[in-house]
Amino acid sequence: MLQQLDSADSVRREVAPRTTQKHKAEFGQFMTPSSVARFMASLFPSIPLKTCRLLDAGAGVGALSCAFLDRWVTGGFGFESVEATAYEIDDKLRGHLAQHLAGYDNVTASIIADDYIERATAEGLQDRGYTHAILNPPYKKINSQSAHRFALRKVGIETVNLYSAFVALAVGEAAPGGQIVAIIPRSFCNGPYYRPFRDFILERAAIRHMHLFESRSKAFRDDEVLQENIIIRLERGGHQGPVKVSASTDDSFSDLTNHDHPFDRIVFPDDPERFIHVPTSPEKNAIELSEAIRSTLADLGIKVSTGPVVDFRLKEHLRDMPGEGTVPLLYPGHFSSTGTTWPIEGMKKPNAIERNADTEKWLYPSGFYCVVRRFSSKEEKRRIVASVVEPSAFGDVPVLGFENHLNLFHESKRGLPEALARGLAVFLNTTAVDENFRRFNGHTQVNATDLKLMKYPSRENLIELGEWAMQQGTLTQEQIDAKLGTLTE
């Protein structure tokens, strides 16, 4: 009987390479490898039930349903029968799906060709009695003016991607105590766009288990997926208790680790944004342990903003090199571990912007600032890379332009005292900050909101860090990390 999942997997391996990127993008389609499907099926607790009602929305060729049913037929669940509902809109896959589900005895399979979002929202979101849901939902942005967006809004779901919409709908359709296991990108864990989705889930379900793939590219290697994925198990209407967090490098699960964490390490009680953290070790890291790192940016009198110069909107005012009437325009490429280099000849980006009536409101007075790149490359070890803007690098220019790929720390749109700017950069470049950040951020983007919600040392401590850094010259990572441990309240 275990041949159904193997068959589904061989179909996946045959179909995936022949499916064009355009087709995958249109359907947001990435098929689940059998190793991942088996692991997901293993996460369901064994609940005494006569009839299991299984939902697989976006079922593809049926790998997830087959993994679940394979576990059942080998004695992994005590059900007498299974009613499986599988949604799949892609005609190319539905025939395979029907064939695979037909291979099981005591399974009543209903295969629905409709759009899951349209069908689930049509009569208002309601309990459909699903006891189990297993999902690898499509991954694709939902346009703010689309029919999907309005249909979801009508049933109280406000979200920006198909994957989060599918999970929210599955939670809404599950019976009380229903178990939902889904493999989804980590992007929902943080950021303002997914805040309503986090609220929806946390109000209706308990998080029971999260599994993190520590390699960005291995879980869906055949489809070249570079978004970091997690597997999550939710319980509809469950009382929230500790959360099991497991991790493995890839989909072989050969180095699987498991730890239980109290829920207040997953969603911090004082976090208004309800970021979801995925700690991979039982030990608290230096940021959590330090009583000296408890200040908000508001406590410090510092603001963080995205660089205001969006280059394609101000194209006519940009200049490759500085000249009369221009001021420096700063991109991430102008900053490195050795400091600020400006201008850079032959750089693909402009080095300057004209200062005139159209650009004036986007410019900041010259001064010391701390900047953090908004995007890191996928190969980079660090997500947070902070640098100090040194006004001496630009001569006596009165104002500076900061391009949109930078986040900028400032005091009401003015520079910071030098020691404060340098202290902030030292703190942000510590290993502990980077580790802590990765617990809630699974993509390569660092948003101003993320930086705003972090905790920082006091203003006095940051100035002290900056003064120390100014006396040291070039700092090693070891020195920075050791210095963080010396901070006191």
Side-chain angles (χ1 to χ4, degrees), residues 326-377:
T326 71
V327 296
L329 176 58
L330 301 177
Y331 282 82
H334 289 112
F335 301 97
S336 68
S337 54
T338 53
T340 310
T341 310
W342 182 90
I344 299 175
E345 281 202 47
M347 188 166 104
K348 288 179 181 161
K349 303 289 186 185
N351 280 283
I353 183 169
E354 283 193 349
R355 185 185 187 188
N356 56 38
D358 292 328
T359 62
E360 188 68 35
K361 67 175 175 180
W362 309 116
L363 305 175
Y364 276 64
S366 188
F368 286 94
Y369 295 89
C370 176
V371 290
V372 169
R373 286 190 286 176
R374 281 184 60 210
F375 298 91
S376 56
S377 77

Side-chain angles (χ1 to χ4, degrees), residues 276-298:
I276 295 171
H277 297 245
V278 191
T280 51
S281 73
E283 299 81 33
K284 293 193 171 187
N285 83 348
I287 302 293
E288 289 177 275
L289 290 170
S290 175
E291 289 301 320
I293 304 171
R294 290 288 179 268
S295 301
T296 63
L297 283 182

Side-chain angles (χ1 to χ4, degrees), residues 50 190 196 237 242 248 335 381 386:
K50 194 174 175 188
N190 68 308
S248 64
F335 301 97
K381 286 195 171 75

